[in-house]
Amino acid sequence: MSQNESTIDSESESLITTDVQPDTSAEPVSSATTIVETEQLDVYYGDDQALDDVSIAIPENQVTALIGPSGCGKSTFLRCLNRMNDLIDIARIDGTVTLRGTDIYDDAVDPVALRRKIGMVFQKPNPFPKSIYDNVAYGLKVQGKKVTDERVEEALRGAALWDEVKDQLDQSGLELSGGQQQRLCIARAIAPDPEIILMDEPTSALDPVAASKIEDLIDELVEDYTVIIVTHNMQQAARISDQTAVFLTGGELVEFDDTTTIFENPADDRVEDYITGKFG
């Protein structure tokens, strides 16, 4: 299903449960190209600060890679975008995160509705102990969407898995290979037709062949979705992303630019030092 098509009513697609008007004060060019934006974003886990004053505008229908050393806040930033940090009692978030101009942390925003718009794929493949069909169907059910054979097939095709599993949809998802399991998780994430797909190191647990298939899939997904991916693999970031954000220790966003510029002519010496392996 394309993002312009929907089979459910507009109320259930809405991010909000009461009237909240998007901020229209942004520059016209920005509003035409930016899908999600943060301003002065700080995140704390108890007394520990995980993100420090992060401001970034992420473009629509592109792949944005988040790179940096372990513990620099990449995954924390990713979880801010669909309010997964809400599930952590000691997490505190200051600043703003907007999706198409709407503050997603506004009291009127329904986090469940938000996650219809912003799906997530985790580092380790996590299919449920259910059939392949039911794994994909769950992605629809949990978002309140009707389950049909057509929707399940469409999601599996979108995840480049249909041809490999179409004759074994009743087989447990746990019986698939690691790479197939990750693509099944991607199918589950795209089944509700989100606008953004968050990926937290989706290939780190896979062999090179399976990882390559995921990279090829990301290149296809970006035709219909915005993809934001955390990766420790700088070669992967250089291969698959249009934009790259570099986080360094202390949760600081040091530089954000098109990927070619980041890897060939970064503005910040610390970015060059990190990319060339002088630290990190």
Side-chain angles (χ1 to χ4, degrees):
M1 180 187 296
S2 70
Q3 288 183 238
N4 293 324
E5 297 174 332
S6 175
T7 59
I8 61 176
D9 59 59
S10 58
E11 180 179 358
S12 62
E13 280 289 282
S14 176
L15 279 182
I16 57 179
T17 54
T18 60
D19 292 331
V20 175
Q21 297 300 318
D23 179 8
T24 58
S25 62
E27 293 295 325
V29 172
S30 175
S31 63
T33 58
T34 297
I35 186 168
V36 63
E37 184 170 9
T38 70
E39 294 183 358
Q40 298 179 317
L41 179 65
D42 297 322
V43 177
Y44 299 85
Y45 296 121
D47 295 330
D48 297 325
Q49 187 166 9
L51 289 178
D52 183 10
D53 195 27
V54 174
S55 296
I56 187 173
I58 294 176
E60 185 176 16
N61 289 109
Q62 294 189 28
V63 179
T64 296
L66 312 179
I67 66 173
S70 297
C72 68
K74 304 183 299 297
S75 295
T76 293
F77 176 80
L78 204 68
R79 291 194 298 267
C80 287
L81 302 184
N82 68 348
R83 293 185 53 172
M84 290 294 288
N85 284 320
D86 288 11
L87 306 176
I88 302 174
D89 291 339
I90 61 172
R92 176 169 60 86
I93 298 170
D94 297 325
T96 61
V97 182
T98 57
L99 174 62
R100 297 195 185 281
T102 295
D103 183 354
I104 69 170
Y105 284 90
D106 189 283
D107 289 341
V109 171
D110 177 4
V112 175
L114 173 68
R115 294 175 193 133
R116 293 192 188 110
K117 300 283 190 180
I118 306 178
M120 191 162 188
V121 177
F122 296 91
Q123 179 176 357
K124 184 178 179 181
N126 60 341
F128 301 133
K130 300 174 179 288
S131 69
I132 293 168
Y133 186 100
D134 287 342
N135 263 274
V136 180
Y138 180 86
L140 293 164
K141 291 176 182 177
V142 75
Q143 300 294 1
K145 293 194 173 186
K146 184 178 180 181
V147 176
T148 65
D149 291 347
E150 291 76 14
R151 277 183 180 250
V152 171
E153 177 179 343
E154 185 177 20
L156 288 167
R157 286 188 181 277
L161 189 58
W162 173 254
D163 289 340
E164 297 171 39
V165 303
K166 61 184 178 182
D167 297 324
Q168 53 194 52
L169 296 178
D170 292 334
Q171 175 182 312
S172 171
L174 297 175
E175 295 179 20
L176 297 174
S177 69
Q180 289 175 321
Q181 287 185 14
Q182 192 65 297
R183 282 183 284 149
L184 179 60
C185 294
I186 292 172
R188 190 173 66 205
I190 66 176
D193 198 28
E195 295 187 50
I196 298 172
I197 303 172
L198 309 178
M199 296 186 171
D200 194 356
E201 299 188 63
T203 64
S204 64
L206 305 180
D207 64 73
V209 173
S212 179
K213 288 184 178 181
I214 298 292
E215 290 184 9
D216 291 343
L217 175 57
I218 290 170
D219 190 52
E220 296 175 10
L221 289 172
V222 79
E223 295 180 9
D224 297 310
Y225 309 100
T226 299
V227 177
I228 306 172
I229 178 171
V230 168
T231 178
H232 277 293
N233 186 329
M234 285 185 283
Q235 290 77 19
Q236 181 179 74
R239 283 193 301 268
I240 69 172
S241 69
D242 303 290
Q243 308 286 329
T244 297
V246 184
F247 290 78
L248 293 181
T249 303
E252 178 187 2
L253 173 61
V254 176
E255 191 167 348
F256 177 55
D257 210 327
D258 68 84
T259 295
T260 300
T261 298
I262 289 293
F263 282 93
E264 296 182 3
N265 189 30
D268 195 297
D269 290 341
R270 291 173 294 170
V271 173
E272 182 173 358
D273 289 345
Y274 174 68
I275 290 173
T276 57
K278 290 183 180 178
F279 73 91

